[in-house]
Amino acid sequence: MTNQAQKQVLIAARDVNKIFENGCHALKNVSLDIHRGEVVVIIGPSGSGKSTFLRTLNQLETISSGHIKIDGIDLVDKNTNINKLREEVGMVFQSFNLFPHKTALGNVMLAPLKVLKRDKAEVEQEAKDLLYRVGLHDRMQSYPSRLSGGQQQRVAIARSLAMKPKALLFDEPTSALDPEMVGEVLDVMKGLAKEGMTMVVVTHEMGFAREVADRVVFMEEGELVLEESPERFFNSEHPRLQRFLGQVL
Amino acid sequence: MQTPSNRWLGHGLYLVIMAALIAGIYFSGQKINYTWHWERLWPYVINTEPQDIIAQTDGTAVVSASGQLSITPDYGGAPQVVPDYDKLVARDGDLIFQGDTIARIEGWRFGPIAEGLWVTIEISFLSLIFSILLGVVFGLMRVAHGQVWRNLAVTYVEIIRGTPLLVQIFIVYFFIGTVFDLDRFTAGVAALSIFTGAYVAEIVRGGIQSVPPGQMEAARSLGMNYAQAMAYVVMPQAIKRTLPPLAGQFINLIKDSSLVSVISITDLTKAGREVVSGSFAPFEVWFTVAALYLVVTGGLSWAIQRLEKRLAASD
């Protein structure tokens, strides 16, 4: 822990509250620091606000009160260019959300070409390298409808990486996958963690949390209940966590 | 399940029924004591008759050595020179009266029906382009975040969908046309574009809303702004989904263009009316006009089907 405390804070959330229009209080005073190069896994029952919290980190969800700073820049500040910030925080979705009208390669190339307005040949080479890295060098010209769930999610990860983000957010990346495809996606994520990518992962994969996470966070009913290193987390006597783990394990 | 033999039986039965229908139409045509004159119709489509060149004044015909024909007027003034002709009617030195045929020119020209068809295609094509522009703009406004835009788009769509096209054509021609000094063709195109644009706007809105919200989120999370996400991610998918309803709408547009004949635009329908009074062959004319509309609408739906097939590559 001391080692991590010395590290630079990349994402800092302070007293984040989210109240939806229908009155649902989804996040209650959530504060969390994520350091550069750190892998933080968020677990919790469905409806606990963990996905909502993740989505506030790149402003797909606005917050009602509190502050979120990415690399020192306040998301809530009206002068912040939110598009610029989103370039730096990639997101991988539960339902992949690949662009169906583009090939795997086209999906990876679109944002660097249109947002960063970079040179096409250069972007194409990088995109091919990224697809190679996620093990899809033979499926570059395939449309998403011709790819399996696991392949689609790997393309989605490559697509996020193409913008060279400072951090990647994963919103239940394996929940929509058939069991035999979970492994290939987790392997890619483990590789990224090893390379030092800052990652915030909402997942139900306890094995991944145990093996890869630097810290594990437990959320319930919109509150951040517990925040510990994996060894301590999974041996914690916390009653609410015990109840949850009893249900899922 | 359909077996192949069943399918051929179906096709055969269809042919028998169609033959019976056509025979029915043919015999009822025979029964009503109507003399069919299809040959009368032909000159109104393509006229191959030689055309007369008419003298404009009284005078004397002069045919020069090189064969050029001119009329020297009796009472002074510039001579009427005939630059080109195929057959001479007047001879050198003939006394000519105004209105006499002095020469004939061979060849063919389009009759009123063909010209009307061209006007219909022109009006439909221009209206199609403008209605797409209007429809995309108002469709995007309909799903925009700003309440102002949404209200404006709803107002446009509701007013246009809630009033008859015929009334709109009159209002555009007599009111807007007078204010902005529009000619009847422009007024006709404007009325059709505004009318069809409202329906296209609703189709575009439906198309955009049928694209899963995750697509917009994924695009935004990659740093695209709203306009980029719309242009590169949402709209390409929406357009593909809207092609079948758009095809129906554009076929309606071609058919609705027949209503502009009420402001004296000589489109296919108005040409048909005029030819009926000239040829006394109403049945033949209206069957021909219907067939020509069918050719235009059929061509359009064929083109859109081709486009659909091309866009289906990613399915």
Side-chain angles (χ1 to χ4, degrees), chain A:
Chain A
M1 279 304 285
T2 48
N3 185 27
Q4 275 158 14
Q6 286 161 2
K7 280 188 185 169
Q8 199 186 351
V9 175
L10 183 63
I11 301 173
R14 284 282 167 282
D15 302 321
V16 172
N17 277 282
K18 171 73 188 181
I19 301 163
F20 282 105
E21 269 179 39
N22 60 16
C24 171
H25 200 160
L27 295 175
K28 297 168 187 162
N29 291 318
V30 176
S31 295
L32 183 68
D33 281 350
I34 294 141
H35 303 92
R36 219 176 269 280
E38 192 179 26
V39 176
V40 174
V41 170
I42 304 176
I43 64 170
S46 63
S48 61
K50 54 194 194 306
S51 280
T52 307
F53 177 64
L54 196 74
R55 288 160 60 86
T56 62
L57 296 182
N58 70 349
Q59 287 290 283
L60 283 181
E61 212 75 73
T62 55
I63 57 175
S64 309
S65 70
H67 284 279
I68 296 171
K69 282 186 178 176
I70 310 261
D71 218 3
I73 302 164
D74 199 335
L75 284 186
V76 185
D77 191 341
K78 280 216 156 54
N79 296 321
T80 302
N81 180 350
I82 210 71
N83 296 319
K84 193 83 196 125
L85 253 160
R86 284 197 182 118
E87 291 173 21
E88 294 170 357
V89 184
M91 179 115 179
V92 175
F93 299 88
Q94 180 179 357
S95 50
F96 327 133
N97 295 348
L98 286 186
F99 306 138
H101 61 299
K102 298 272 180 199
T103 60
L105 191 62
N107 266 275
V108 180
M109 288 171 65
L110 188 66
L113 283 181
K114 301 299 181 188
V115 179
L116 304 178
K117 314 241 186 283
R118 290 178 49 201
D119 173 61
K120 192 174 175 206
E122 206 178 295
V123 168
E124 189 171 340
Q125 192 49 54
E126 274 183 26
K128 282 177 176 168
D129 291 346
L130 280 170
L131 285 170
Y132 197 89
R133 195 162 135 196
V134 297
L136 286 171
H137 47 282
D138 54 341
R139 304 308 298 269
M140 292 196 201
Q141 299 303 335
S142 300
Y143 284 98
S145 57
R146 299 256 178 266
L147 297 173
S148 73
Q151 290 171 329
Q152 288 191 56
Q153 193 62 294
R154 285 184 283 152
V155 174
I157 293 172
R159 179 175 72 175
S160 296
L161 289 173
M163 292 299 283
K164 300 188 175 118
K166 291 176 182 164
L168 267 185
L169 311 176
F170 291 83
D171 187 7
E172 305 200 26
T174 57
S175 299
L177 295 176
D178 291 335
E180 72 269 25
M181 292 169 185
V182 170
E184 59 190 66
V185 171
L186 290 182
D187 284 345
V188 169
M189 290 169 66
K190 284 173 195 166
L192 284 174
K194 246 183 223 141
E195 289 165 31
M197 173 61 80
T198 312
M199 292 161 61
V200 186
V201 186
V202 170
T203 187
H204 295 294
E205 293 295 324
M206 298 305 162
F208 178 82
R210 219 184 285 263
E211 188 182 338
V212 183
D214 295 306
R215 263 187 305 155
V216 185
V217 171
F218 176 62
M219 285 183 74
E220 195 180 42
E221 286 170 359
E223 290 170 44
L224 196 156
V225 179
L226 192 66
E227 179 191 342
E228 283 292 359
S229 65
E231 315 86 74
R232 292 219 229 153
F233 184 90
F234 288 104
N235 296 319
S236 163
E237 299 291 323
H238 200 291
R240 290 165 84 176
L241 176 61
Q242 282 303 317
R243 188 156 22 109
F244 172 67
L245 289 179
Q247 281 161 0
V248 292
L249 289 180

Side-chain angles (χ1 to χ4, degrees), chain B residues 20-145:
Chain B
L21 277 173
I22 290 166
I25 291 169
Y26 177 76
F27 285 117
S28 50
Q30 299 283 308
K31 234 182 120 186
I32 51 171
N33 217 356
Y34 179 86
T35 329
W36 293 83
H37 287 292
W38 284 102
E39 75 284 353
R40 276 196 205 161
L41 199 65
W42 186 239
Y44 294 98
V45 183
I46 290 171
N47 196 347
T48 50
E49 297 272 300
Q51 284 169 59
D52 295 346
I53 297 170
I54 308 289
Q56 283 158 4
T57 56
D58 299 348
T60 314
V62 179
V63 181
S64 70
S66 62
Q68 195 184 47
L69 171 69
S70 58
I71 308 294
T72 313
D74 286 343
Y75 307 108
Q80 178 191 353
V81 178
V82 181
D84 192 26
Y85 61 86
D86 291 303
K87 196 164 166 270
L88 214 52
V89 178
R91 278 173 301 183
D92 189 35
D94 273 5
L95 194 62
I96 302 292
F97 295 99
Q98 185 177 5
D100 280 359
T101 301
I102 50 175
R104 288 207 176 88
I105 191 156
E106 300 279 345
W108 58 276
R109 68 202 154 105
F110 288 119
I113 288 186
E115 275 167 8
L117 175 66
W118 178 243
V119 171
T120 288
I121 291 173
E122 229 180 333
I123 283 195
S124 304
F125 180 75
L126 288 173
S127 306
L128 190 144
I129 302 291
F130 287 119
S131 66
I132 290 175
L133 289 178
L134 278 174
V136 169
V137 168
F138 280 94
L140 284 170
M141 279 167 67
R142 196 76 169 66
V143 297
H145 291 303

Side-chain angles (χ1 to χ4, degrees), chain B residues 162-235:
Chain B
T163 51
L165 173 58
L166 197 54
V167 175
Q168 288 170 23
I169 290 175
F170 282 132
I171 290 176
V172 169
Y173 181 54
F174 288 114
F175 177 66
I176 302 175
T178 310
V179 172
F180 292 105
D181 197 21
L182 302 178
D183 64 78
R184 52 183 93 247
F185 186 84
T186 315
V189 170
L192 280 174
S193 309
I194 292 168
F195 178 77
T196 308
Y199 288 88
V200 174
E202 279 301 275
I203 292 171
V204 168
R205 174 186 69 96
I208 291 172
Q209 286 176 340
S210 76
V211 176
Q215 291 289 314
M216 181 53 110
E217 287 185 353
R220 298 303 300 271
S221 78
L222 287 166
M224 289 187 209
N225 60 35
Y226 182 81
Q228 287 171 328
M230 267 291 169
Y232 302 126
V233 175
V234 177
M235 281 306 271

